[in-house]
């Protein structure tokens, strides 16, 4: 395809500068987003064991609910019954009570003790998975949601523009360069080939992520515009039909509700039921997952249920929605990878890591393109802008990697040592992140990268080591028998980081000595 060189240059400049401005935030979003693909296994691995007795059989769940409502009046507003308790949600019955903040809730679980008395304890669901998800959603910015989310939306818009401009730049040489991977002394050419291949072959994935991120960031504004233009007089819902509860009616037992739901929704694996009081009537929802359909949430779907008859209203479930609702559901499904089960989750994890590599390599290309090359015997002094971006790229990217690993590694120890693990998880991440950025500027891009990769490997190795310590009950740590996939994944990542550190060291010693990646690279004053 022939495109005028001046047009290509304009799009190349757009692509480069958008990448420079937003690339590092996108690295954090993609690396953390890749980890969130297995948020539930991470939550199970990271949640301390419960002091509650084993959950009673489902047939006794109603007796447990009665005991909870009799002794815990605040639970009467809304309570939940778990069909299949897990390590991160071990109680059969649990509920939430509002905290000091508007969005703060304290969750409690209940069981029967051996003597039949009621046991109650605050649930101890780990917050490290929530931290990783927040880093993903807010592109790593340590600001309140109201401030960081519009910035994330602007970054996503810029990211979409960068995808289009990058594709236009690549079009004139796409037939020649698309499958090229020229390995040799020309490091810039190698990085360019890797960058182009990653960008082109993952383009559909990146377009989906960019567009859905914009929708998530500005959904309130979209709804406001829709109300003003399409529904200026408000949405006319019509007369709603309210079910009438017969006098003296009581909800069906939970075990019977489960049986009736399974008959109506074959293939839908029920996870639990939610109940709340509306006047003299109890409303209910059923939550679960059908692997045949993608879901709006990462790991579940829910819909209304009549607790008196067991009749399900399936219109909120994928596969039963109206076309418009299915389209909205598709936005969430495609962004979260919440379809196809674990094979799709692994694919999204690899695509997320490849996306992080795409942004990292883009910054490296900019640095290499501004390298002052040797013209004689004297080694040139590199531009301060190139040196600074190299250090910033190394510090932010590897600081994110090391910070997440350090925070996850601390999970097994914090509950026994501190009163607010959530604050400590956040503090550990940003402390390691800030230290890594400072370290990269002090040591330079090459030495900083090598050392931070080793530090990241050490923090990542601490993840399975903390589980090993928990297996022997050391220092208040613990270990769940089903948590080995997290440990195995972390253990597999360690040699990858060490191998990257080795290659960085080799390049530092034997690569171009007129590069910011050389051992003695010094910026211009």
């Amino acid at each position: 395809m022939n495109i005028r060189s001046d047009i290509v240059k304009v799009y190349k400049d757009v692509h480069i500068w958008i990448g420079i401005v937003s690339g590092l935030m996108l690295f954090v979003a993609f690396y953390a987003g890749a980890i969130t693909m297995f948020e539930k296994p991470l939550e199970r691995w990271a949640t301390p064991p419960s002091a509650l007795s084993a959950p009673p059989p489902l047939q006794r769940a109603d007796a447990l609910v009665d005991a909870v409502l009799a002794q815990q009046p605040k639970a009467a507003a809304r309570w939940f019954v778990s069909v299949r308790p897990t390590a991160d949600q071990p109680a059969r019955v649990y509920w939430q009570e509002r905290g000091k903040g508007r969005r703060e809730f304290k969750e409690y679980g209940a069981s029967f003790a051996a003597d039949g008395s009621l046991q109650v304890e605050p649930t101890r669901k780990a917050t490290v998975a929530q931290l990783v998800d927040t880093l993903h959603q807010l592109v790593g910015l340590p600001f309140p949601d109201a401030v960081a989310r519009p910035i994330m939306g602007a970054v996503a818009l810029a990211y979409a523009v960068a995808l289009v401009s990058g594709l236009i730049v690549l079009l004139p040489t796409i037939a020649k360069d698309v499958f090229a991977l020229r390995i040799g002394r020309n490091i810039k050419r190698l990085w360019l080939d890797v960058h182009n291949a990653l960008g082109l072959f993952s383009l559909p994935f990146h377009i989906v992520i960019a567009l859905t991120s914009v929708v998530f960031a500005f959904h309130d504004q979209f709804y406001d515009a829709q109300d003003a233009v399409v529904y200026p007089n408000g949405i006319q819902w019509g007369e709603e039909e309210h079910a009438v509860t017969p006098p003296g009616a009581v909800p069906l037992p939970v075990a019977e509700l489960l049986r009736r739901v399974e008959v109506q929704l074959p293939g839908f694996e029920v996870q639990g039921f939610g109940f709340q009081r509306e006047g003299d009537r109890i409303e209910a929802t059923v939550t679960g997952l059908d692997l045949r359909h993608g879901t709006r949430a990462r790991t579940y779907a829910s819909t209304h249920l009549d607790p008196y008859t067991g009749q399900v209203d399936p219109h909120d479930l994928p596969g039963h929605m109206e076309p418009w609702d299915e389209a909205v559901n598709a936005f969430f499904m495609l962004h979260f990878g919440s379809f196809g089960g674990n094979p799709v989750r692994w694919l999204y994890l690899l695509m997320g890591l490849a996306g992080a590599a795409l942004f990292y390599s883009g910054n490296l290309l900019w640095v290499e393109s501004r390298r002052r090359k040797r013209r004689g015997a004297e080694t040139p002094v590199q531009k301060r802008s190139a040196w600074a971006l190299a250090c910033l790229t190394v510090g932010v990217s590897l600081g994110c990697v090391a910070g997440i690993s350090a925070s996850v590694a601390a999970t097994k120890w914090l509950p026994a040592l501190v009163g607010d693990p959530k604050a400590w998880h956040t503090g550990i991440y940003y402390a390691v992140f800030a230290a890594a950025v400072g370290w990269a500027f002090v040591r330079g891009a090459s030495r900083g990268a090598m050392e931070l990769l080793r530090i990241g490997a050490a923090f990542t190795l601490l993840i399975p080591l903390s589980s090993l310590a928990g297996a022997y009950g050391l220092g208040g740590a613990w270990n769940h028998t089903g948590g080995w996939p997290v440990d195995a994944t972390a253990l597999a990542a360690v040699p990858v980081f060490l191998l990257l550190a080795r290659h960085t060291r080799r390049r530092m010693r034997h690569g171009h000595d007129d590069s910011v990646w050389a051992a003695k690279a010094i910026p211009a004053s």
Side-chain angles (χ1 to χ4, degrees):
M1 177 179 290
N2 293 323
I3 302 178
R4 283 167 36 194
S5 59
D6 58 327
I7 295 177
V8 172
K9 185 180 184 305
V10 170
Y11 279 101
K12 185 176 182 180
D13 289 341
V14 170
H15 182 77
I16 288 173
W17 288 108
I18 287 178
I20 294 299
V21 171
S22 61
L24 294 179
M25 286 185 283
L26 288 170
F27 179 96
V28 176
F30 270 70
Y31 184 80
I35 296 174
T36 62
M37 293 312 303
F38 290 94
E39 183 178 3
K40 291 301 289 184
L42 180 58
E43 277 187 351
R44 294 190 186 104
W45 177 89
T47 300
S50 172
L52 292 174
S53 299
L58 193 63
Q59 288 73 16
R60 294 195 64 202
D62 303 281
L64 182 57
V65 168
D66 292 340
V68 167
L69 298 182
Q71 298 186 29
Q72 304 289 329
K74 292 183 178 179
R78 184 168 176 80
W79 68 94
F80 306 86
V81 176
S82 177
V83 171
R84 296 175 179 85
T86 58
D88 58 307
Q89 192 62 265
R92 177 69 72 188
V93 175
Y94 55 100
W95 67 97
Q96 293 178 336
E97 297 181 9
R98 188 176 295 277
K100 296 179 181 179
R102 189 179 66 174
R103 295 186 178 182
E104 291 184 8
F105 293 89
K106 187 71 174 178
E107 190 174 84
Y108 296 87
S111 186
F112 285 128
D115 61 359
S117 62
L118 182 67
Q119 283 184 317
V120 174
E121 73 163 7
T123 58
R124 307 175 69 188
K125 184 180 293 186
T127 57
V128 69
Q130 181 184 345
L131 168 66
V132 176
D133 190 31
T134 300
L135 293 173
H136 164 65
Q137 292 182 33
L138 305 184
V139 292
L141 297 173
F143 305 139
D145 184 271
V147 176
R149 194 166 292 276
I151 297 175
M152 181 274 285
V155 168
L157 280 171
Y159 164 37
V161 174
L163 291 173
V164 175
S165 58
L167 180 61
I168 292 174
V169 169
L170 188 59
L171 282 177
T173 60
I174 190 170
K176 179 178 67 176
D177 293 343
V178 66
F179 294 109
L181 188 60
R182 286 156 283 198
I183 301 175
R185 292 185 59 82
N186 191 336
I187 301 298
K188 179 185 173 183
R189 170 56 64 183
L190 174 61
W191 275 112
L192 180 60
D193 290 341
V194 172
H195 182 81
N196 289 343
L198 287 174
L200 185 63
F201 288 111
S202 60
L203 183 62
F205 172 79
H206 285 284
I207 290 175
V208 167
I209 298 300
L211 295 179
T212 52
S213 296
V214 171
V215 172
F216 295 159
F218 300 118
H219 67 277
D220 287 343
Q221 290 81 356
F222 289 150
Y223 285 137
D224 291 342
Q226 175 183 278
D227 290 343
V229 177
V230 183
Y231 305 109
N233 299 318
I235 298 177
Q236 306 300 314
W237 296 105
E239 284 298 320
E240 296 184 8
E241 295 184 4
H242 296 279
V244 178
T245 306
V250 296
L252 293 171
V254 172
E256 178 61 19
L257 285 177
L258 175 62
R259 188 191 67 80
R260 297 193 182 191
V261 170
E262 289 176 339
V263 170
Q264 297 172 71
L265 300 175
F268 184 80
E269 183 179 339
V270 179
Q271 298 171 351
F273 299 95
F275 302 89
Q276 67 180 41
R277 292 192 182 278
E278 296 289 345
D280 59 353
R281 178 177 170 82
I282 293 178
E283 300 289 342
T285 57
V286 57
T287 299
L289 185 64
D290 188 339
L291 292 178
R292 298 170 300 177
H293 303 284
T295 59
R296 183 165 181 162
R298 281 195 181 93
T299 56
Y300 68 89
S302 63
T303 192
H304 183 264
L305 167 75
D306 187 329
Y308 299 94
T309 64
Q311 183 66 38
V312 176
D313 177 3
H315 79 275
D316 285 333
L317 295 179
H320 302 272
M321 295 177 174
E322 296 293 329
W324 173 251
D325 292 328
E326 287 282 10
V328 173
N329 184 70
F331 269 91
F332 291 85
M333 176 186 73
L334 290 172
H335 187 92
F336 294 142
S338 55
F339 61 97
N342 284 334
V344 171
R345 290 192 182 95
W346 278 109
L347 176 62
Y348 266 58
L349 181 142
L350 295 176
M351 296 294 285
L353 295 178
L358 179 71
F359 307 121
Y360 188 85
S361 61
N363 279 18
L364 296 186
L365 283 169
W366 188 90
V367 170
E368 284 297 312
S369 68
R370 275 140 182 84
R371 175 163 60 92
R372 291 171 172 168
K373 298 182 180 180
R374 180 192 294 275
R375 299 299 180 187
E378 184 178 351
T379 302
V381 177
Q382 295 301 325
K383 297 179 182 179
R384 177 169 290 275
S385 58
W387 178 86
L389 183 64
C391 294
L392 191 63
T393 299
V394 166
V396 170
S397 303
L398 300 184
C400 168
V401 173
I404 289 177
S405 291
S407 189
V408 173
T411 298
K412 296 293 180 79
W413 309 91
L414 288 179
L417 301 175
V418 302
D420 188 0
K422 181 178 180 180
W424 275 83
H425 278 300
T426 302
I428 289 172
Y429 170 80
Y430 283 110
V432 172
F433 178 85
V437 174
W439 187 262
F441 276 93
V442 170
R443 298 290 286 169
S446 56
R447 292 186 184 276
M450 178 185 67
E451 292 160 354
L452 289 174
L453 280 166
R454 291 173 176 173
I455 291 171
F459 282 142
T460 306
L461 181 60
L462 288 176
I463 294 173
L465 290 181
S466 66
S467 293
L468 184 63
Y472 293 96
L474 301 178
W478 75 92
N479 186 43
H480 294 304
T481 55
W484 66 267
V486 174
D487 296 320
T489 302
L491 198 59
V494 172
V496 175
F497 293 145
L498 293 177
L499 183 63
L500 291 174
R502 180 183 177 185
H503 280 287
T504 303
R505 181 172 179 267
R506 181 183 301 170
R507 183 182 180 188
M508 180 180 69
R509 291 191 170 187
H510 304 295
H512 298 292
D513 59 0
D514 57 354
S515 168
V516 295
W517 302 104
K520 297 180 179 179
I522 302 174
S525 58

